[in-house]
Amino acid sequence: MAILKSIFTWWDGATIGTAWFTARAGRKVGEDALGNVYYEAKKAVDGRCRRWVIYNGANDASRVPPEWHGWLHGSLDALPDQALPPVRAWQRPPEPNWTGTPQAYRPAGALEAGGRRAAATGDYEAWSPDQA
């Protein structure tokens, strides 16, 4: 059953085709704190090497840290630990996309947040075609 799962469930990690392609055409260049592994193609096409990530867990692009996102998209030529300055004490770690989860942002008027919002301030006046 695990073989069938690895063949057909692309949303839950790398499939057999991805693993085969990665082993054949890519070389490992690094790993982030979440366990995602980053690869670069062995051969360049049009002067650029293809870059990709194999996620550790669910395939969710918001789980790629900003520094590795820059490397994946070619903004950084060198690896992030070589090209970027060290993390400063005031910087917070990145958060994943919480949309669709209980941790998602809920504004004051949202039904999930109680459905109550502040009263209108009265500074809005509707336009009427009769007014000139």
Side-chain angles (χ1 to χ4, degrees):
M1 191 60 137
I3 293 174
L4 287 175
K5 182 180 178 191
S6 66
I7 292 172
F8 296 110
T9 58
W10 57 265
W11 57 87
D12 193 27
T15 62
I16 287 178
T18 304
W20 175 81
F21 173 78
T22 297
R24 185 170 182 266
R27 63 179 180 85
K28 181 179 174 181
V29 295
E31 189 171 331
D32 65 18
L34 297 173
N36 300 326
V37 183
Y38 298 88
Y39 294 90
E40 189 170 43
K42 293 177 184 175
K43 295 182 183 179
V45 177
D46 295 331
R48 297 184 69 175
C49 285
R50 182 173 178 248
R51 298 171 175 180
W52 66 93
V53 59
I54 302 293
Y55 296 101
N56 180 21
N59 294 341
D60 181 9
S62 70
R63 296 183 64 230
V64 174
E67 59 273 9
W68 281 103
H69 181 271
W71 179 83
L72 281 172
H73 291 275
S75 298
L76 301 173
D77 289 331
L79 296 177
D81 57 348
Q82 300 165 355
L84 297 175
V87 177
R88 302 224 164 75
W90 49 265
Q91 288 178 303
R92 295 187 339 190
E95 291 188 15
N97 183 356
W98 296 115
T99 302
T101 68
Q103 293 89 4
Y105 171 71
R106 309 270 194 249
L111 294 177
E112 297 89 356
R116 296 189 183 264
R117 61 186 176 108
T121 60
D123 60 352
Y124 173 75
E125 184 179 328
W127 177 80
S128 173
D130 298 332
Q131 295 174 346

